[in-house]
Amino acid sequence: MSKIILKAVLAAVSLCLVACDGRRNPAPDSPAETQTKVIFDTDFGGDADDLGAIAMLHYYADRGDIDLLAITSWSNEEYAVPALAAVNLFYGRPELPLGVRETDTWRTEWNYTKPIADQFPHDPEAVANAAPAVALYRELLAEADPHSITIITVGPLANIQNLLRSEPDEVSDLSGEDLIEAKVDQVVIMGGQFPDGITAHGPEWNFDGNMKGVTQEVVARIKRPIIFSGYEVGEALRYGAALNQHPTNTPLYVGYKYFSEHAPWMKQDYQGEILDNASFDQTAVMFAAIDGVGTHWSLSAPGTLFVDADGVGTWVENAAGQHRYMILTDDTVETVSEIAAAMTH
């Protein structure tokens, strides 16, 4: 089959998925100056919250709240990129650029990536054209207006570390650190535990990630405002069981069900149906897209987060600090309802 015919078929599939699934058409683009331009960095495939967060990104992009520029993956698990391409096609964005960390591929049987890649179509070119994450970051940042980009990270921070360490090249005569300083508005990071710095299970995964010193370097070197959504926020916002009433021919249903059945920390409670799960990553997306301060959460006073090599943070309040962390309001029901609506649009 020629590439032209293949693209036509894939486009038709995309349109059918949108039309037949009853999802509304994307709203007209908002004026560029009112949109948050987003690059989303994920460890897609492990915890299902990454999948929920990506569904929300497409929802907020459809509404015109954000301009979704790209998704970059910390995970180079064998099926991560095909599954991401399938999810993007399902939501009507098959051309959305994908980036992936430059490391060897691996296979994790309990990840929900393979079921999604197997059950939903994806554009082979989207997979073949997945760029090294740093190269994609540098290209997008070089093209951007000053302080116009929001980076959302919901996994370990190796892609951001690699970007910070990148040197000037043919794309830009700025280093990665200088590109972030010049082009990024803010970085929204799901990670850590606030204000005490460590969860009951030890260092929070995104700050640890079996990658000693990564978070320490990234948080110290970024010279733009950082908003943290800590473990304690997403842990209080549990959602997933309601997806048992969601259409079964969707990536959300397939991914969450496989996750409930196979994830090491979930499977002991699995009895044939999707289980509730913490909404860690969804909070970072929601904040970047609609803020939610005063409704879903408040922000701490400004400060500086100092992170040690093991990913344990120490919070120091400081009026001149560029760091703040989210503090959940008492009305978790309303917040979960917003997350559910954005995920299942």
Side-chain angles (χ1 to χ4, degrees):
M1 181 181 293
S2 73
K3 289 184 178 179
I4 294 175
I5 296 174
L6 177 59
K7 283 188 173 181
V9 171
L10 288 166
V13 169
S14 177
L15 289 171
C16 180
L17 283 170
V18 173
C20 298
D21 221 35
R23 290 191 299 277
R24 60 179 176 75
N25 292 326
D29 287 342
S30 300
E33 64 269 17
T34 67
Q35 284 186 309
T36 300
K37 297 183 181 298
V38 168
I39 303 173
F40 182 69
D41 202 284
T42 173
D43 57 343
F44 185 79
D47 198 308
D49 59 342
D50 295 81
L51 176 58
I54 291 172
M56 292 175 71
L57 285 168
H58 285 283
Y59 168 72
Y60 290 127
D62 286 351
R63 287 204 324 186
D65 296 316
I66 67 170
D67 180 5
L68 183 56
L69 301 180
I71 294 175
T72 56
S73 179
W74 170 88
S75 174
N76 204 2
E77 196 271 340
E78 183 178 356
Y79 292 94
V81 173
L84 283 168
V87 172
N88 291 339
L89 174 58
F90 182 84
Y91 287 109
R93 289 181 176 82
E95 303 301 325
L96 184 67
L98 295 174
V100 65
R101 182 162 61 102
E102 289 188 277
T103 187
D104 292 339
T105 59
W106 65 86
R107 176 78 182 102
T108 304
E109 292 291 335
W110 58 264
N111 277 199
Y112 53 81
T113 50
K114 188 175 188 298
I116 289 176
D118 285 348
Q119 295 184 47
F120 298 93
H122 61 269
D123 185 345
E125 286 194 11
V127 178
N129 293 336
V134 170
L136 182 56
Y137 269 115
R138 289 187 60 83
E139 179 181 345
L140 293 172
L141 292 175
E143 294 172 350
D145 293 333
H147 298 163
S148 63
I149 302 292
T150 292
I151 296 175
I152 307 173
T153 71
V154 297
L157 295 165
N159 281 333
I160 310 302
Q161 181 190 52
N162 292 338
L163 171 61
L164 284 162
R165 291 179 173 184
S166 66
E167 299 293 334
D169 57 13
E170 66 279 1
V171 171
S172 172
D173 58 3
L174 297 178
S175 69
E177 185 170 354
D178 289 340
L179 271 172
I180 290 175
E181 186 174 2
K183 300 304 184 76
V184 169
D185 176 34
Q186 65 178 354
V187 182
V188 182
I189 295 178
M190 189 280 119
Q193 164 88 12
F194 296 88
D196 49 339
I198 191 165
T199 76
H201 310 290
E204 189 274 327
W205 162 253
N206 289 350
F207 273 23
D208 174 14
N210 297 323
M211 306 185 84
K212 198 174 184 70
V214 171
T215 302
Q216 181 182 43
E217 177 181 347
V218 167
V219 172
R221 290 183 65 179
I222 289 177
K223 297 183 178 68
R224 296 298 300 157
I226 302 177
I227 305 297
F228 296 96
S229 179
Y231 177 93
E232 71 286 352
V233 176
E235 178 63 23
L237 302 171
R238 305 192 68 81
Y239 176 75
L243 292 174
N244 288 300
Q245 282 70 58
H246 193 62
T248 59
N249 61 335
T250 63
L252 272 180
Y253 181 90
V254 171
Y256 265 78
K257 192 169 191 300
Y258 194 90
F259 166 75
S260 295
E261 184 175 3
H262 296 280
W265 62 96
M266 299 289 286
K267 62 184 181 181
Q268 67 272 14
D269 298 318
Y270 180 76
Q271 296 182 359
E273 293 193 325
I274 296 169
L275 300 167
D276 276 334
N277 184 50
S279 301
F280 300 119
D281 298 352
Q282 294 94 322
T283 62
V285 167
M286 192 169 160
F287 178 84
I290 65 169
D291 193 319
V293 172
T295 302
H296 302 294
W297 32 66
S298 60
L299 291 180
S300 70
T304 302
L305 181 68
F306 297 93
V307 184
D308 69 16
D310 295 319
V312 178
T314 299
W315 178 259
V316 178
E317 193 168 313
N318 168 15
Q322 294 206 82
H323 301 165
R324 301 182 81 174
Y325 62 86
M326 294 160 56
I327 302 169
L328 191 64
T329 69
D330 291 333
D331 192 355
T332 57
V333 173
E334 182 180 350
T335 305
V336 170
S337 178
E338 169 74 22
I339 288 170
M343 281 176 55
T344 60
H345 63 287

